[in-house]
Amino acid sequence: MTTVMAFGTFDLLHPGHKYFLRQAKKQGDYLIAVIARDSTVKKLKHELPSQSEKTRQRAVLRLNLADKAILGDRGINKYAVIKKHRPDIICLGYDQIYFIDGLKDKIKQFKFNTKIIRLKPYQAHKYKTSIIKKQS
């Protein structure tokens, strides 16, 4: 069984998120969606997401695209979820910039053969949370 892990904030769930999760699901047999913690989003983006982490987690689960939707790690151990679930593939969004520096090295350190794939956007000019927030 090929386990795939996809990371994201998944705030204000939109067709771009759905496309991302569908692409990730096609990469393997079992998809784990990792939803960023509120505290992590605040630290990295300097603002809280529009929806709470639990609300975002439930929304991802309701899509029935991920086999499991979990909350990311708290604090500084950002790779613990990878170490725990040992994914065969990690899917990153086209615009994902956080936590990717050093990811390949950390996976090598764990002695995993995890493949990292950067997925394509879906109408990025239209379906991006920051654009949707500005429109509302």
Side-chain angles (χ1 to χ4, degrees):
M1 180 171 75
T2 303
T3 302
V4 179
M5 189 171 272
F7 293 83
T9 303
F10 302 105
D11 196 19
L12 301 174
L13 211 57
H14 55 71
H17 292 129
K18 294 173 191 174
Y19 183 78
F20 170 68
L21 290 169
R22 274 201 285 310
Q23 281 187 87
K25 180 73 173 179
K26 287 179 184 177
Q27 303 301 318
D29 307 303
Y30 189 82
L31 175 61
I32 302 170
V34 182
I35 291 85
R37 293 278 187 169
D38 291 344
S39 58
T40 301
V41 176
K42 173 76 171 156
K43 182 178 176 186
L44 297 174
K45 297 183 180 182
H46 308 292
E47 65 180 18
L48 285 169
S50 299
Q51 300 168 313
S52 74
E53 58 193 35
K54 289 287 191 186
T55 299
R56 293 181 285 120
Q57 181 183 25
R58 284 190 301 271
V60 168
L61 280 170
R62 277 194 303 270
L63 291 175
N64 291 319
L65 293 169
D67 297 288
K68 187 176 202 175
I70 61 174
L71 296 175
D73 299 309
R74 292 187 193 270
I76 59 172
N77 194 2
K78 59 190 177 192
Y79 301 109
V81 69
I82 295 169
K83 193 170 185 178
K84 178 180 178 181
H85 294 281
R86 302 177 63 99
D88 299 293
I89 299 169
I90 293 176
C91 290
L92 301 174
Y94 75 98
D95 62 347
Q96 198 157 352
I97 57 172
Y98 303 110
F99 299 132
I100 59 171
D101 293 338
L103 179 59
K104 286 181 184 178
D105 291 335
K106 187 54 86 170
I107 287 169
K108 282 181 189 173
Q109 221 175 52
F110 292 154
K111 296 185 168 68
F112 294 171
N113 289 322
T114 303
K115 182 177 172 183
I116 299 171
I117 299 173
R118 177 79 66 174
L119 299 177
K120 294 177 180 165
Y122 174 73
Q123 299 181 24
H125 63 285
K126 185 177 180 182
Y127 296 117
K128 188 168 174 60
T129 304
S130 58
I131 293 170
I132 292 168
K133 279 184 177 182
K134 287 177 188 172
Q135 293 172 347
S136 24

